[in-house]
Amino acid sequence: MPKIKDEIRYNRIHEIMFADAKDDEDVAMGWFYYMSDYMEFPIKATAKLRLRGGKTETIAVEIVEVDANESRDLSIRLGIVEKGNQRVQYVSPESITQIDSTANNLEILNDWLYWHDFPLLAE
């Protein structure tokens, strides 16, 4: 839960994701359906990726899908494709550093970042 409270965002998240949630699995699936049902793909973005050896690189990508990683703490992952590559790679939403997309897509990603207490993407 976020440290700083944004009443409008907080209430929207509770109404959409948590209204019927009984446990952590329901919450994770709520996030999955919220993102997969309401986001419009593909989304042009910039992602900070961790390379072997601990280095990071920021690259242009397209977000093409949402995945619920049930094998790892019921986490949400975004499927991204690098320019010129057809292989989908999965990253956590906080790996996205910028998007060039609709206000709706930005709001949804920022809802997730807000709830998990990560910095929001700039509008």
Side-chain angles (χ1 to χ4, degrees), residues 12-69:
R12 179 178 54 249
I13 292 168
H14 268 273
E15 289 171 14
I16 294 172
M17 262 77 62
F18 304 148
D20 299 323
K22 295 174 183 63
D23 56 26
D24 289 342
E25 184 175 351
D26 288 347
V27 169
M29 292 314 295
W31 279 111
F32 170 77
Y33 287 115
Y34 176 47
M35 293 174 118
S36 63
D37 289 348
Y38 295 104
M39 291 176 77
E40 300 168 33
F41 300 100
I43 302 167
K44 291 183 186 288
T46 304
K48 189 174 189 176
L49 303 180
R50 185 170 298 146
L51 305 174
R52 293 180 191 195
K55 293 183 180 181
T56 60
E57 180 180 13
T58 302
I59 60 170
V61 299
E62 281 192 338
I63 303 170
V64 295
E65 65 185 12
V66 177
D67 179 55
N69 186 4

Side-chain angles (χ1 to χ4, degrees):
M1 183 186 298
K3 294 177 187 169
I4 299 172
K5 197 164 183 181
D6 172 338
E7 290 289 333
I8 293 170
R9 191 176 301 275
Y10 183 89
N11 289 334
R12 179 178 54 249
I13 292 168
H14 268 273
E15 289 171 14
I16 294 172
M17 262 77 62
F18 304 148
D20 299 323
K22 295 174 183 63
D23 56 26
D24 289 342
E25 184 175 351
D26 288 347
V27 169
M29 292 314 295
W31 279 111
F32 170 77
Y33 287 115
Y34 176 47
M35 293 174 118
S36 63
D37 289 348
Y38 295 104
M39 291 176 77
E40 300 168 33
F41 300 100
I43 302 167
K44 291 183 186 288
T46 304
K48 189 174 189 176
L49 303 180
R50 185 170 298 146
L51 305 174
R52 293 180 191 195
K55 293 183 180 181
T56 60
E57 180 180 13
T58 302
I59 60 170
V61 299
E62 281 192 338
I63 303 170
V64 295
E65 65 185 12
V66 177
D67 179 55
N69 186 4
E70 295 177 25
S71 65
R72 225 180 110 221
D73 301 329
L74 303 168
S75 62
I76 297 297
R77 304 179 307 171
L78 301 175
I80 61 169
V81 176
E82 293 179 53
K83 187 175 182 177
N85 189 346
Q86 296 302 311
R87 188 176 63 93
V88 176
Q89 171 178 332
Y90 292 93
V91 299
S92 59
E94 66 270 16
S95 298
I96 303 301
T97 58
Q98 183 179 7
I99 67 168
D100 180 14
S101 188
T102 65
N104 183 63
N105 284 344
L106 178 63
E107 180 176 81
I108 292 168
L109 281 172
N110 275 337
D111 283 350
W112 192 94
L113 293 168
Y114 167 82
W115 192 256
H116 293 87
D117 208 21
F118 290 105
L120 301 184
L121 299 172
E123 296 185 26

